[in-house]
Amino acid sequence: MAPDQHLDQDASHGDLREGRPPWPAGTGEGFVAPRESLTCDVAIVGAGITGSLVAEHLSARGLDVVLIDREQASHGSTAASTAMLLWEIDRSLVELTGLYGFERAVRAYRLSLSAVAGLTGLVGALGLSCSFQPRSSLYLAPGDSQSHDILPEFALRRRAELPGHHLDFAALHGTFEIDRAGAILSPGSAEADPVALATGLADVAAKRRVRLVSGDARDFDATDREVHIGLADGHEIKAGHMVLATGYVMPDFVRSGLHQVTSTWAMATGPQDPARLWRDRALIWEAGEAYHYLRTTTDGRIIIGGGDEPFDEQDQRLDKAALKHEALRAMLAALWPRASTEAAYAWSGAFGETGDGLPLIGPVPGRRRIFAAYGYGGNGITFSFLASRMIGAMIAGETAAWHDDFALDRDKPG
Ligand SMILES: Cc1cc2nc3c(=O)[nH]c(=O)nc-3n(C[C@H](O)[C@H](O)[C@H](O)COP(=O)(O)OP(=O)(O)OC[C@H]3O[C@@H](n4cnc5c(N)ncnc54)[C@H](O)[C@@H]3O)c2cc1C
């Protein structure tokens, strides 16, 4: 599949990911095939992290919600996620400013920062048990660069009054024992077990009477007044609004020229000696196009991911897996030599991105009762939270000028 194309809408979890991530499998409990056609305020198609966040939020707003998935809930891309909940966006502030100007770029960064804060507050308020930990992030200068490569980014973030400070080579080495020309250390990010997070949210929603439906949404028909969703088993769901949270499996009528699907690889080591882990277990990622990302887990494993390439069919992804995982081990050994690099888990998955690093959230053009929430890129989960709040507001008729920054039909930057 070439960039700018989309996964077929019949793509299953098996097409999205392979191998085994370290997250304990959820049960998908509570999702049952409907015995009759249903009516609701909002029908959400897709029960990964995005659909679960939307369901929790809309039910908190008092709406009558149906959450639908055709496979085991939270076991699509969500189960493959390394769940680094970063507020820093795949596109640096310098790059985003180049695309959209300073004001709009800063707005996106600020929204992302408050999305992680919002998610942190939500997990605490609901008491979700999902290995959630607030973390700092360490944004490293690329391996082959001089320290000044990261200074323009730091300067712009300071101008934007975003939190964080610069570490030069000596400070980085002295604090983190990492050999890179420089880094930006920022508070405000977090990590979690993505499966436990998504299933926990769906459980909360179910307790608020959200109906969890096992079904394959096949036909979508929207009028000015309502949306009709035809399930493969013949039942119909009639809703005031529909939210598409189908991950990287987009229905044919949702398309964006900004979108491309990428494959990414990840591995988790066995539990390390805690004394061998880096300071504060910060989330680590690199500046640059083909970056690597690292985090730890509550049981002391190191997760490393990267090696991204344009998506290809699963067989080819499997063929590449051994080489990719070996490259991740080598990268881990180079960056953090005291780690034991034996892989206990190794997996890969489809990772959707947009040309500008911002998600696609909002009404589907020409279908105002259908909203789409595709939380793309390395900030998938952060943007899923943002999507849940935006869509909640939009369904309530609340508008904000910045909503257009994420519109599905926004102009492709030059
Ligand atoms: C290896 C890897 C590492 C990643 N690391 C990070 C990270 O560190 N931080 C981060 O924030 N993000 C990360 N991501 C991205 C993140 O995982 C995704 O953005 C996020 O999981 C997307 O969730 P979702 O709910 O939108 O999609 P999914 O989890 O794919 O859920 C979509 C659901 O929709 C269902 N569905 C689809 N079509 C239909 C239909 N017609 N009818 C009924 N159900 C349907 C599917 O069965 C599926 O369960 C990573 C992704 C990968 C692959």
Side-chain angles (χ1 to χ4, degrees):
M1 180 186 272
D4 280 338
Q5 290 186 316
H6 301 75
L7 284 169
D8 187 270
Q9 62 178 314
D10 288 330
S12 69
H13 289 178
D15 300 312
L16 289 176
R17 59 182 182 84
E18 57 80 26
R20 205 155 70 91
W23 320 120
T27 57
E29 245 172 48
F31 283 78
V32 289
R35 295 215 185 108
E36 57 189 5
S37 291
L38 305 171
T39 303
C40 58
D41 294 330
V42 184
I44 304 165
V45 183
I49 186 63
T50 309
S52 301
L53 275 163
V54 175
E56 187 284 328
H57 183 57
L58 296 186
S59 61
R61 281 177 167 251
L63 292 169
D64 177 22
V65 176
V66 169
L67 177 62
I68 310 156
D69 206 300
R70 63 185 176 193
E71 293 188 73
Q72 188 179 352
S74 77
H75 281 71
S77 292
T78 297
S81 180
T82 51
M84 292 170 52
L85 312 176
L86 290 164
W87 59 262
E88 295 159 295
I89 297 173
D90 278 354
R91 287 276 196 171
S92 68
L93 187 59
V94 168
E95 290 174 313
L96 210 52
T97 298
L99 293 177
Y100 291 128
F102 180 69
E103 198 182 321
R104 183 164 163 192
V106 173
R107 193 158 61 216
Y109 264 74
R110 290 212 159 279
L111 285 164
S112 184
L113 180 62
S114 52
V116 180
L119 186 53
T120 305
L122 181 70
V123 168
L126 296 176
L128 297 181
S129 170
C130 59
S131 305
F132 193 96
Q133 293 288 339
R135 295 281 186 219
S136 294
S137 66
L138 190 63
Y139 180 57
L140 299 177
D144 53 1
S145 79
Q146 299 298 311
S147 150
H148 60 252
D149 279 358
I150 213 154
L151 279 173
E153 175 67 12
F154 176 65
L156 207 58
R157 288 191 193 184
R158 201 156 57 167
R159 192 179 141 205
E161 298 180 5
L162 291 164
H165 61 274
H166 179 252
L167 303 178
D168 62 12
F169 174 82
L172 177 62
H173 190 78
T175 317
F176 284 94
E177 298 173 62
I178 290 176
D179 286 328
R180 281 291 169 92
I184 301 173
L185 178 64
S186 312
S189 290
E191 67 185 30
D193 167 341
V195 175
L197 176 59
T199 50
L201 289 161
D203 287 348
V204 169
K207 285 190 184 116
R208 295 195 194 122
R209 301 191 181 284
V210 169
R211 286 166 281 173
L212 308 182
V213 167
S214 172
D216 184 1
R218 287 265 141 201
D219 302 310
F220 307 97
D221 184 24
T223 68
D224 274 353
R225 300 168 64 89
E226 58 198 16
V227 185
H228 295 253
I229 303 164
L231 300 182
D233 68 4
H235 287 115
E236 186 184 74
I237 298 177
K238 194 163 74 177
H241 292 92
M242 174 171 84
V243 180
L244 287 166
T246 52
Y248 307 125
V249 191
M250 288 175 167
D252 287 336
F253 62 86
V254 188
R255 286 290 178 257
S256 166
L258 278 166
H259 171 248
Q260 68 180 46
V261 184
T262 303
S263 289
T264 187
W265 283 262
M267 58 164 260
T269 68
Q272 308 271 338
D273 175 347
R276 285 170 175 253
L277 294 173
W278 53 88
R279 187 172 170 148
D280 297 338
R281 298 192 180 195
L283 309 181
I284 300 177
W285 67 300
E286 300 175 292
E289 281 285 303
Y291 66 83
H292 291 88
Y293 43 98
L294 289 89
R295 58 163 282 193
T296 61
T297 60
T298 43
D299 59 353
R301 300 173 195 279
I302 295 174
I303 296 179
I304 178 166
D308 301 5
E309 283 188 18
F311 179 83
D312 55 30
E313 300 307 326
Q314 198 203 6
D315 285 350
Q316 290 172 43
R317 222 165 59 207
L318 279 171
D319 291 345
K320 290 178 187 159
L323 275 178
K324 290 287 186 183
H325 289 128
E326 199 44 50
L328 290 177
R329 280 180 64 167
M331 182 68 201
L332 176 57
L335 199 69
W336 193 247
R338 66 181 69 172
S340 156
T341 62
E342 199 62 41
Y345 297 90
W347 71 101
S348 70
F351 192 93
E353 352 181 64
T354 53
D356 59 7
L358 301 180
L360 302 165
I361 304 169
V364 174
R367 292 174 162 85
R368 66 182 184 85
R369 290 191 170 269
I370 302 183
F371 293 90
Y374 294 106
Y376 291 113
N379 305 75
I381 296 172
T382 304
F383 286 151
S384 296
F385 181 88
L386 178 66
S388 67
R389 273 48 194 171
M390 277 178 68
I391 289 173
M394 288 171 170
I395 287 175
E398 299 158 18
T399 53
W402 59 265
H403 286 171
D404 292 343
D405 294 354
F406 305 100
L408 275 73
D409 57 353
R410 65 180 180 267
D411 287 336
K412 201 173 177 173

